[in-house]
Amino acid sequence: MNKSSTILLLFLLLNFSCFAKVKNKGIPFIKNFPRSEYHGGTQNWDITQSSKGLMYFANNEGVLEFDGTNWRLIEMPNRSVVRALAIDKSDRVYVGAYNEFGYLEPDSKGKLVYRSLVNLLPEAERDFEEIWQIYHFRNGIVFHTFEKVIFYKDNKLSIIGDRMIFRKSFVIDDSFYVQILGKGLCKLNGQDFHLVAGGEKFKDIEIVSVLPYSEDELLIATALNGLFIYNGRETKSWNLDANKSFVKEQIYSGLALRDDHFVFGTVRNGLYILNKRGQIIQHVNTDLGLQNNTILSLFQDSDKNLWLGLDNGINHLEISSPVTTFPRVRDIGTGYSSIYFKGYLYLGTNMGLFARKYDFLDMDLNLNEKFRLVEKTSGQVWSLQVIGGELICGHTKGTFRINQDRGELICDVEGGWKYLYKSEFPNQMIGGTYSGLILFERESEKGKWRFKQKIGGFQESSREMIWNDDNSIWMSHGYKGLYRIVLNNALDSCINFKLYGKEDGLSSDLSIGIHKVRDKEVFTTNKGFYEYVPEINRFEAYQSLNNLFGKEKELTKLFEQSNGDIWYFQDEKLGVLKLQVDNSYEKHEMAFSSIRGSFIGAFENVYEIDRSNVLIATEDGFVHYNPEMRKRYENTFHTLIRKVKVADKTSLQDSIIYSGFKREDEEMPVILKFRNNAIGFQYSAPQSSQMQLVNYKYQLQGFEQDTSNWETNTSKEYTNLPEGDYVFRVLAQNQYGVQSVPDEFKFTILPPWYRSKLAYFIYLLVSIAILWGIVLLVRLRIRRMHERLEKQQQEELKAKEQKFREEALIAEREIVQLRNEKLRSEVDFKTRELASSTMNIIHKNEVLSYAVGELKKALKKIKDPTALVQVRQLMKTLDSEFNSDQDWEQFELHFDQVHENFLRRLRSAYSQLTPKDLRMCAYLRMNLSTKEIAPLMNISVRGVEISRYRLRKKFDLSRDENLIDFLLNV
């Protein structure tokens, strides 16, 4: 083998070893599933998993199925306890119970139902009691009872080793082992069981598990006698300390992990994980989070995590994660700070400072040594720093010097936040407290720190601080802003400070973080990173870090390590920037997705001990992270549509049409009636860890143009879907950002009955019938039309005769009408003549009245008696002419002719009327005004009104009656 091949092999082995680890630091994350959640019996006897991630548990009440979100229970026909499960390459689940065994298969609606195989046994062989184990063996299935071994293949059953008393059986590679009571460990050869070499050792020792230890060796676990190594010839006790515990605590179940580790479940004290050297890597019991200390079954899933079937409940342990809960105690409080110093590990919490001697290189799990509270440090711990060779603890009570498990209060100024030290001032240290800055000093570089004084001139709480190269101090106050503090040369007094904010270039006045990256001060706000430019005394955006982290989500903490890596907290997430050879950074966040949101805001803390050990403070204490332990985050997983239900508009009830499993012969889409056009889907993506962090995206093709946004809902409903072909497609994304294999459900919604093919055929028949009816109707109408025409002709003849008569009558009426029109014309002429005559009279009277008036004026001026007499004579003549009755008579004659003897009728009806009254009535009927009537009657306007009043009296008219209307109607 050449040199390059050797290097490649070593690299692959190293790389594999990074993946092939179970952590011995901390406790794996534990998820409890109590019976109140899975709704089954207490005990869980066996566990298996399908290729798509579905988990199955042999439970007291049947088979439990878990899809990562929901549980289902499949009961046995005789309602017996299910003891054993196995699953084949086609994902068929085989089940063993009391006097019952068979398999699960989907029914017509995709619901898993139990199919019994007992009917293949002869009647006499059916009382075999419990099926305790099921295995794949020689392309068949082995069902193991304590009385017989039943082999199933090609739908046929055969019995091996009848009339024997068996204990447990085991399949290793292609060999079938079984413990026979009174005989020992035996192996199946052909159709018989033969004692293996040295197998008689286990004649009276109960074997609970046989696991592959190496190519030629087996690891045998016994109930009360510990562990043994069997090499094919002889058996030796595995000489290790754990055997003492196993003898006392009684092993019940065992499992070989895929990375050379072994898991054993005990009856009395929970779970043990051992490596191949026999060292205890993990021990987890009820004190550390299990629901029950009796572990009946063990299973490693496709993500290399561990499932435990308990005497009461189910547990899931995330043993493949590089992150574990730390330490192995659960009562130290909320984590704030940690440090490793002189062989001691210190954990600062809200309850105090805890310490213990700790060797991170030791693979043996020390179950006895626990963290203890350091003397005098009970209470809130804020910080832990090694300064000048001493461990300094910032505490709510003040400042402590820590020496192993003892604490010494060296300053009682309350609230020791943080401490600053610079090599330029080797014997001075500055501390930030609740009430400002304090100064410590020592006599020499090897001396001890002692409190000197409070630094005057600045009294603000000083938690986040950085000592600059120009000896000024940047300090961020959470509620006031960013300060720059300048001290005097002796560092015992503040000579100047300034508060910076928006007017100085920052995007905010508050919540400004201070960090140091590559020996440069970096400031964070809710709008990104900033750097200070001393030449202009302002802040400017730090583009390189803004490009790396973005500005949308606020970064709260940065911790730069000595190797250049940068830990950061952003949007409740933790990540690390790994420094690359070209000085660029590579982001790593996936490993910490399980602890997202578990940090204390503004007090996040990361402490890197070495390349394999990092401690992270959380609200529940700490977690331990091993950067060299790699986990495969890109494992394929499946999204499964678990249930499809439709709403029936007729019955107003939901009905399930699909329950999660497709039959091999079912490829056609599901056909739904139009009344079932409201459909709901339930889906899940089986994940062995952090199931609540899975997001889903879906689309109903044929109805929706685009897929949905990512969301955590595991169901979707649609209502009032039109008829058509549809495909519901859903996929998931886990906490690592890995997308699943999608699942889809095809279905067709038929049109409503009135738009179905049958309906259209009926519509066609009806249309033809209607057309034929129309033809018949038209024929009928034509016949009737002929009849009507004949009748119409007869009626027309009669009508013509009638028309001739009517035309003659019309002609006579026209003659009469012409005569009437002639008469009306004559009346109109006479009316116009009468009106003209009346107007002439009115004009004449006006002229005469005017002449008489002028003569009266002239009479006063005439002196000549003769002329005076002549004028008076002329006036008499004019008066006589003015009152001439001849005009009235002529007027009366014409008026009666025109108005149908109005005056005669009026005179006969009202004999009390005087001639003057009659004249007034005639003028009023002609609709003359008062001013027009006055000269005609040679009276004043007032006289006319008096005459009208007298007429109303004589006609006995009320106030509401109109005189002219009355006269017009006489």
Side-chain angles (χ1 to χ4, degrees):
M1 184 181 290
N2 57 34
K3 184 177 180 181
S4 59
S5 300
T6 304
I7 294 174
L8 178 61
L9 179 60
L10 289 174
F11 174 78
L12 293 174
L13 289 173
L14 179 62
N15 193 51
F16 176 78
S17 67
C18 292
F19 284 99
K21 282 188 177 181
V22 175
K23 290 183 63 181
N24 71 330
K25 306 294 189 296
I27 310 167
F29 291 118
I30 300 173
K31 171 68 175 175
N32 291 328
F33 296 97
R35 64 174 301 194
S36 59
E37 183 173 340
Y38 60 71
H39 303 294
T42 56
Q43 294 172 311
N44 295 279
W45 297 95
D46 202 359
I47 308 170
T48 191
Q49 183 183 33
S50 74
S51 62
K52 293 186 176 180
L54 292 171
M55 298 300 304
Y56 295 91
F57 302 85
N59 184 265
N60 277 3
E61 295 184 7
V63 179
L64 287 172
E65 179 191 65
F66 181 53
D67 61 14
T69 304
N70 300 302
W71 294 84
R72 294 179 181 176
L73 177 65
I74 305 167
E75 295 182 337
M76 294 296 100
N78 58 5
R79 303 181 67 86
S80 62
V81 175
V82 175
R83 302 281 186 181
L85 296 172
I87 194 165
D88 64 14
K89 294 179 181 179
S90 65
D91 274 352
R92 173 177 283 185
V93 179
Y94 291 90
V95 183
Y98 182 82
N99 282 339
E100 187 65 70
F101 63 90
Y103 58 87
L104 304 179
E105 70 172 2
D107 63 9
S108 60
K109 292 185 178 180
K111 181 181 179 181
L112 279 187
V113 294
Y114 176 75
R115 304 296 185 196
S116 178
L117 294 174
V118 174
N119 59 329
L120 298 179
L121 280 176
E123 190 74 31
E125 301 290 344
R126 295 182 183 180
D127 187 16
F128 47 80
E129 298 188 354
E130 303 277 1
I131 298 287
W132 284 98
Q133 291 162 294
I134 305 175
Y135 297 103
H136 294 280
F137 185 65
R138 294 178 182 173
N139 298 319
I141 302 294
V142 171
F143 297 93
H144 171 73
T145 76
F146 283 168
E147 294 184 357
K148 61 190 70 176
V149 175
I150 304 170
F151 185 68
Y152 171 73
K153 186 178 181 180
D154 299 331
N155 205 35
K156 295 180 181 179
L157 295 177
S158 58
I159 298 175
I160 304 172
D162 200 6
R163 298 187 183 91
M164 295 183 183
I165 302 177
F166 296 114
R167 292 297 185 187
K168 283 193 173 182
S169 60
F170 318 95
V171 172
I172 308 296
D173 296 329
D174 197 33
S175 298
F176 185 81
Y177 298 90
V178 65
Q179 183 183 20
I180 300 177
L181 189 64
K183 191 173 183 180
L185 182 62
C186 299
K187 182 179 179 180
L188 179 65
N189 289 320
Q191 293 295 311
D192 298 319
F193 289 101
H194 298 281
L195 190 69
V196 300
E200 65 278 0
K201 182 179 180 70
F202 300 101
K203 180 174 62 173
D204 300 316
I205 298 175
E206 182 183 357
I207 299 175
V208 295
S209 181
V210 176
L211 308 173
Y213 182 77
S214 66
E215 290 185 7
D216 302 320
E217 295 176 308
L218 299 177
L219 177 60
I220 300 175
T222 64
L224 299 172
N225 298 85
L227 303 175
F228 296 85
I229 300 293
Y230 176 66
N231 63 8
R233 298 178 303 276
E234 58 181 349
T235 303
K236 294 182 180 179
S237 176
W238 199 9
N239 189 18
L240 43 84
D241 293 337
N243 257 340
K244 299 176 183 178
S245 300
F246 292 151
V247 169
K248 181 175 63 176
E249 295 162 2
Q250 189 177 348
I251 299 175
Y252 189 86
S253 54
L255 176 69
L257 300 181
R258 300 168 201 162
D259 54 7
D260 289 336
H261 286 77
F262 305 97
V263 185
F264 297 101
T266 69
V267 174
R268 299 185 179 91
N269 200 16
L271 172 83
Y272 288 86
I273 301 179
L274 280 66
N275 63 15
K276 213 165 186 180
R277 295 192 295 272
Q279 296 171 304
I280 298 177
I281 303 301
Q282 280 290 346
H283 175 221
V284 186
N285 55 20
T286 53
D287 294 335
L288 299 179
L290 293 187
Q291 298 176 89
N292 190 274
N293 274 333
T294 301
I295 299 174
L296 303 178
S297 55
L298 298 163
F299 182 80
Q300 188 177 23
D301 62 24
S302 57
D303 290 330
K304 297 186 178 180
N305 293 317
L306 201 58
W307 290 87
L308 313 182
L310 307 179
D311 192 58
N312 189 356
I314 298 169
N315 273 119
H316 174 264
L317 274 67
E318 198 172 341
I319 62 172
S320 68
S321 174
V323 179
T324 51
T325 302
F326 192 87
R328 294 179 56 81
V329 291
R330 306 172 68 188
D331 55 355
I332 65 171
T334 299
Y336 281 84
S337 184
S338 60
I339 199 166
Y340 188 63
F341 183 60
K342 292 184 178 180
Y344 275 79
L345 180 60
Y346 298 90
L347 305 177
T349 74
N350 65 314
M351 297 172 61
L353 180 63
F354 295 85
R356 63 162 280 192
K357 202 167 185 178
Y358 207 98
D359 184 2
F360 282 95
L361 299 177
D362 187 6
M363 289 300 295
D364 236 336
L365 190 65
N366 192 330
L367 302 178
N368 298 319
E369 191 170 357
K370 296 184 179 180
F371 281 86
R372 300 184 184 277
L373 181 66
V374 175
E375 291 179 3
K376 303 179 183 179
T377 63
S378 176
Q380 177 69 59
V381 173
W382 294 121
S383 65
L384 292 169
Q385 296 172 254
V386 175
I387 301 177
E390 291 188 286
L391 178 57
I392 303 299
C393 173
H395 198 281
T396 187
K397 296 177 182 178
T399 303
F400 284 86
R401 177 189 294 115
I402 306 300
N403 184 13
Q404 295 183 357
D405 58 354
R406 297 186 302 277
E408 178 187 353
L409 185 65
I410 60 175
C411 175
D412 61 0
V413 178
E414 291 186 347
W417 288 120
K418 187 177 181 179
Y419 302 89
L420 302 177
Y421 176 80
K422 289 183 71 173
S423 58
E424 292 91 328
F425 302 91
N427 298 322
Q428 290 173 304
M429 177 175 68
I430 297 173
T433 70
Y434 294 167
S435 55
L437 302 176
I438 56 177
L439 180 64
F440 295 84
E441 67 175 9
R442 58 183 178 179
E443 294 180 356
S444 65
E445 292 188 16
K446 294 185 178 180
K448 293 185 176 181
W449 293 110
R450 65 178 182 84
F451 173 66
K452 182 178 180 182
Q453 66 178 71
K454 294 192 70 173
I455 297 175
F458 189 79
Q459 286 80 40
E460 297 293 344
S461 177
S462 304
R463 182 167 65 89
E464 296 292 337
M465 302 184 297
I466 288 180
W467 201 344
N468 301 326
D469 293 336
D470 61 1
N471 290 331
S472 63
I473 295 174
W474 287 108
M475 191 281 288
S476 176
H477 193 289
Y479 301 106
K480 294 186 178 181
L482 179 65
Y483 288 90
R484 189 182 186 204
I485 306 166
V486 179
L487 304 180
N488 61 7
N489 292 334
L491 304 180
D492 58 5
S493 178
C494 172
I495 59 176
N496 183 30
F497 66 86
K498 180 184 177 182
L499 185 63
Y500 288 82
K502 288 183 178 180
E503 66 277 6
D504 301 297
L506 293 169
S507 63
S508 173
D509 292 328
L510 305 177
S511 300
I512 301 168
I514 307 173
H515 317 279
K516 203 153 192 174
V517 177
R518 294 184 176 181
D519 294 325
K520 185 174 183 178
E521 293 81 11
V522 176
F523 303 86
T524 56
T525 70
N526 57 353
K527 297 296 183 181
F529 289 82
Y530 289 84
E531 59 181 331
Y532 176 67
V533 183
E535 291 80 9
I536 58 175
N537 194 27
R538 284 184 63 80
F539 291 86
E540 293 183 352
Y542 201 143
Q543 291 301 335
S544 61
L545 288 179
N546 283 332
N547 294 337
L548 190 61
F549 288 99
K551 296 182 179 181
E552 294 78 16
K553 298 173 182 178
E554 183 178 2
L555 189 142
T556 55
K557 282 290 179 69
L558 285 175
F559 297 92
E560 186 178 28
Q561 305 301 318
S562 58
N563 62 356
D565 293 347
I566 300 174
W567 292 85
Y568 61 89
F569 291 85
Q570 185 179 30
D571 189 34
E572 296 189 340
K573 294 189 299 185
L574 170 64
V576 59
L577 297 176
K578 291 288 187 180
L579 184 64
Q580 305 301 300
V581 177
D582 60 356
N583 277 335
S584 64
Y585 289 104
E586 184 178 271
K587 267 188 177 183
H588 293 265
E589 291 182 348
M590 287 186 177
F592 315 108
S593 61
S594 59
I595 57 174
R596 178 176 179 174
S598 64
F599 315 112
I600 307 299
F603 294 95
E604 300 92 340
N605 184 267
V606 173
Y607 179 69
E608 190 170 307
I609 299 167
D610 55 35
R611 293 176 57 186
S612 302
N613 298 281
V614 178
L615 291 180
I616 303 161
T618 70
E619 57 191 10
D620 295 322
F622 296 85
V623 295
H624 178 274
Y625 169 60
N626 182 356
E628 294 190 336
M629 179 178 172
R630 301 178 188 177
K631 176 181 173 70
R632 297 188 186 276
Y633 300 102
E634 297 80 12
N635 289 343
T636 300
F637 69 104
H638 295 260
T639 299
L640 304 175
I641 297 174
R642 301 291 292 144
K643 183 187 293 185
V644 181
K645 61 181 180 179
V646 296
D648 193 319
K649 296 178 181 178
T650 305
S651 63
L652 301 179
Q653 292 181 348
D654 291 343
S655 59
I656 297 173
I657 61 171
Y658 177 69
S659 294
F661 291 91
K662 296 183 178 70
R663 297 174 63 95
E664 294 180 359
D665 56 347
E666 289 185 356
E667 293 295 334
M668 298 295 291
V670 176
I671 306 299
L672 300 176
K673 294 182 179 179
F674 189 76
R675 68 169 180 262
N676 302 128
N677 65 350
I679 188 168
F681 300 90
Q682 288 185 9
Y683 39 86
S684 182
Q687 287 283 280
S688 62
S689 63
Q690 302 300 318
M691 304 159 203
Q692 73 277 8
L693 298 180
V694 178
N695 288 290
Y696 298 89
K697 181 185 286 189
Y698 54 83
Q699 181 186 11
L700 182 58
Q701 297 173 1
F703 182 73
E704 296 170 326
Q705 296 296 323
D706 302 311
T707 57
S708 68
N709 296 323
W710 291 110
E711 57 185 49
T712 57
N713 293 334
T714 58
S715 63
K716 176 61 182 175
E717 293 185 354
Y718 297 91
T719 57
N720 297 321
L721 291 174
E723 66 266 25
D725 298 323
Y726 298 96
V727 178
F728 180 77
R729 191 172 188 271
V730 59
L731 75 158
Q733 178 176 271
N734 62 19
Q735 69 267 33
Y736 308 120
V738 179
Q739 294 188 9
S740 71
V741 176
D743 196 9
E744 60 183 33
F745 180 81
K746 298 178 182 179
F747 63 100
T748 297
I749 296 180
L750 299 176
W753 62 268
Y754 51 84
R755 287 205 296 267
S756 65
K757 291 181 180 179
L758 177 60
Y760 285 124
F761 180 70
I762 294 173
Y763 297 155
L764 178 61
L765 294 179
V766 172
S767 299
I768 293 172
I770 291 173
L771 289 174
W772 179 246
I774 291 172
V775 170
L776 295 177
L777 182 61
V778 169
R779 290 178 178 177
L780 179 62
R781 290 185 65 185
I782 291 172
R783 186 171 66 251
R784 290 181 178 178
M785 189 180 296
H786 285 301
E787 294 174 354
R788 282 200 302 270
L789 285 174
E790 293 177 359
K791 185 177 180 181
Q792 184 178 352
Q793 289 175 353
Q794 295 175 359
E795 290 177 351
E796 283 180 354
L797 292 174
K798 293 180 181 178
K800 286 181 179 179
E801 294 176 358
Q802 182 67 24
K803 185 177 181 181
F804 290 146
R805 287 193 291 269
E806 290 176 354
E807 286 178 351
L809 182 61
I810 289 171
E812 292 178 2
R813 288 178 180 174
E814 287 179 350
I815 293 171
V816 173
Q817 186 175 357
L818 289 172
R819 289 175 181 173
N820 290 337
E821 288 178 355
K822 182 180 179 183
L823 290 174
R824 278 196 294 273
S825 298
E826 291 177 355
V827 170
D828 290 341
F829 174 75
K830 289 183 179 181
T831 300
R832 286 192 298 272
E833 188 178 42
L834 179 61
S836 176
S837 174
T838 303
M839 293 307 295
N840 288 333
I841 293 171
I842 291 171
H843 181 67
K844 183 191 78 171
N845 288 343
E846 286 177 349
V847 172
L848 291 176
S849 177
Y850 176 76
V852 171
E854 292 298 319
L855 287 175
K856 285 181 181 180
K857 292 179 183 178
L859 190 64
K860 294 179 182 179
K861 299 179 181 180
I862 299 174
K863 303 297 184 181
D864 188 358
T866 304
L868 193 65
V869 171
Q870 290 177 346
V871 169
R872 285 176 178 163
Q873 185 63 37
L874 180 61
M875 290 177 63
K876 259 184 201 182
T877 303
L878 291 172
D879 284 337
S880 65
E881 186 69 25
F882 190 75
N883 294 317
S884 174
D885 292 333
Q886 184 179 359
D887 291 336
W888 166 247
E889 290 173 358
Q890 185 181 2
F891 175 82
E892 184 178 1
L893 176 64
H894 290 296
F895 188 87
D896 273 345
Q897 289 178 352
V898 173
H899 292 282
E900 300 176 352
N901 297 317
F902 171 75
L903 292 176
R904 287 182 185 180
R905 287 187 283 108
L906 193 64
R907 192 183 291 118
S908 67
Y910 299 95
S911 57
Q912 71 269 28
L913 296 176
T914 65
K916 187 176 181 180
D917 293 335
L918 291 173
R919 290 176 67 184
M920 177 63 72
C921 290
Y923 294 147
L924 290 174
R925 184 176 176 91
M926 291 178 65
N927 204 22
L928 297 178
S929 66
T930 301
K931 290 182 179 181
E932 291 173 333
I933 295 173
L936 290 174
M937 297 187 69
N938 197 24
I939 60 177
S940 65
V941 173
R942 178 65 179 165
V944 174
E945 292 176 352
I946 293 171
S947 297
R948 292 180 64 165
Y949 176 75
R950 288 174 180 167
L951 283 174
R952 293 180 68 85
K953 284 284 188 180
K954 290 179 180 180
F955 290 143
D956 195 21
L957 298 178
S958 64
R959 288 185 178 182
D960 296 333
E961 293 181 281
N962 188 280
L963 178 60
I964 295 175
D965 291 340
F966 174 77
L967 293 175
L968 291 173
N969 294 321
V970 171

